[in-house]
Amino acid sequence: IGVDPDEWAEASSAVQQAGRAALKALEREGAVLVDVSENLLRYAPAMGYLAIGLETRELLRAEWEAHTAAFTADLQVSMSVLAEISALDYLDSQRLRVGLRSAVARLFRDVDLLALPTTVDTASPVTESSAITGEGVFETLKVVCKQVIAKTG
């Protein structure tokens, strides 16, 4: 099992603890942990957010044009920002994704599994009100953006 220490160092203590416990359980069952390192992994979330965001924007184009006001404030911001991403930026992101796939394929020459945190922190609480209004989403978005900017410069 490949473990990238840099990726785990970015996670909150709660996520790190849960990850360490799971990895120790796997070791007790006979798994061998191996430190691996791949710099492009740190950009994977940003690449994914961009690709998924742009694909979502395109899929919702008709709904957006007809019912913009029906979207929550956070989605209005996201959809407006995504509309400003150029085709060249999108193509650059797709080239980076190809590089990431190649890098991960190289890692899998030496390990059968990569154990990485799926998130840097546990989920923010959601109330009935915040689910409708998007309240609290901006704070979470700020944290996520800070994470992406800190990693990508």
Side-chain angles (χ1 to χ4, degrees):
I1 299 176
V3 180
D4 188 327
D6 292 334
E7 288 294 309
W8 283 100
E10 295 290 325
S12 69
S13 59
V15 171
Q16 287 183 33
Q17 276 184 312
R20 278 194 297 274
L23 291 170
K24 285 183 191 288
L26 291 170
E27 278 186 306
R28 285 192 298 275
E29 295 293 323
V32 176
L33 303 182
V34 178
D35 279 352
V36 296
S37 180
E38 175 49 59
N39 192 45
L40 278 179
L41 285 175
R42 64 192 294 190
Y43 303 109
M47 290 179 213
Y49 300 151
L50 181 60
I52 292 167
L54 288 170
E55 290 167 10
T56 301
R57 174 72 169 83
E58 176 55 26
L59 287 171
L60 294 174
R61 180 194 309 218
E63 290 83 354
W64 171 252
E65 290 171 357
H67 308 288
T68 302
F71 284 70
T72 59
D74 60 311
L75 287 175
Q76 289 182 26
V77 170
S78 296
M79 297 289 270
S80 297
V81 169
L82 288 165
E84 299 302 315
I85 306 288
S86 74
L88 293 176
D89 290 335
Y90 177 74
L91 291 173
D92 282 344
S93 75
Q94 295 308 296
R95 288 184 194 100
L96 287 169
R97 288 179 77 188
V98 169
L100 176 62
R101 283 193 296 274
S102 296
V104 170
R106 283 190 298 276
L107 290 176
F108 280 120
R109 291 180 191 156
D110 299 321
V111 298
D112 298 316
L113 173 77
L114 290 175
L116 303 169
T118 56
T119 184
V120 295
D121 206 351
T122 56
S124 302
V126 177
T127 64
E128 186 175 331
S129 171
S130 68
I132 294 168
T133 65
E135 175 189 342
V137 173
F138 290 112
E139 187 58 37
T140 301
L141 183 59
K142 185 168 75 172
V143 171
V144 170
C145 289
K146 181 179 177 185
Q147 183 78 13
V148 171
I149 291 167
K151 288 184 172 190
T152 63

